[in-house]
Amino acid sequence: MNRNVYWEDVKEGDALPSYSMEITTTLIVDQVSGSQDYNLMHHDTAFARRQGAPDAYVNTGFIEALLSRSLTDFMGDAGFLKKLKHQMRRFNALGDTIKVAGKVTGKRVEGGEYLVDCEVWIENNRDGVSVPGTAILRLPSKGA
């Protein structure tokens, strides 16, 4: 199914698709083995706690994938994720329930590109927003 989202149809304040998930042992094992990031803090509870974390926690690549999913689900097939920036301020650890969300904060035409600015974030049940971020999407235009 081909689904396009056009720049003209996006409004400031539009919500990006949001979703929630629990960080389970299986999810931790999957993200470690899939990324081959075998750093102990991502799968060894005792080690992670000695480092000051509440438990083993998901890695940077997993965080980026979560944010990217929300953005790509929003922008459709012809959109392009031009830029993603985020700050990992709190741990998203084993046992947490996290929510990924975002919204459109502006839109503009720059250098012939139809751009949409977004705010994205991950929040968890312990700390609230744990990962704030921003993104720039390039969308097709009906008039171009």
Side-chain angles (χ1 to χ4, degrees):
M1 175 170 68
N2 187 10
R3 184 184 70 85
N4 289 324
V5 174
Y6 292 95
W7 183 84
E8 290 83 358
D9 297 328
V10 173
K11 298 180 294 307
E12 188 172 329
D14 283 353
L16 276 60
S18 64
Y19 59 97
S20 297
M21 69 176 59
E22 183 181 352
I23 300 178
T24 64
T25 300
T26 301
L27 188 137
I28 291 280
V29 169
D30 287 348
Q31 67 100 33
V32 166
S33 63
S35 66
Q36 297 186 5
D37 181 352
Y38 297 109
N39 192 312
L40 291 176
M41 64 189 68
H42 297 305
H43 62 89
D44 185 315
T45 293
F47 182 85
R49 287 181 178 162
R50 284 194 303 273
Q51 306 307 310
D55 212 316
Y57 56 93
V58 295
N59 66 17
T60 305
F62 191 79
I63 294 295
E64 291 169 349
L66 294 175
L67 295 171
S68 295
R69 174 184 161 190
S70 183
L71 292 159
T72 58
D73 284 356
F74 174 76
M75 70 187 183
D77 297 334
F80 182 78
L81 175 54
K82 189 172 171 96
K83 188 174 197 174
L84 172 61
K85 292 172 35 175
H86 63 86
Q87 298 174 354
M88 293 171 48
R89 294 185 180 172
R90 303 282 184 271
F91 298 104
N92 292 289
L94 184 62
D96 286 348
T97 297
I98 59 173
K99 179 180 178 184
V100 182
K103 66 180 178 180
V104 173
T105 58
K107 51 189 266 191
R108 57 200 156 86
V109 178
E110 189 174 282
E113 294 183 312
Y114 294 83
L115 304 177
V116 175
D117 299 307
C118 297
E119 181 182 339
V120 291
W121 62 89
I122 297 173
E123 55 191 74
N124 67 44
N125 53 305
R126 286 179 303 101
D127 298 317
V129 174
S130 56
V131 180
T134 58
I136 301 172
L137 308 176
R138 183 178 68 221
L139 296 181
S141 170
K142 292 177 180 178

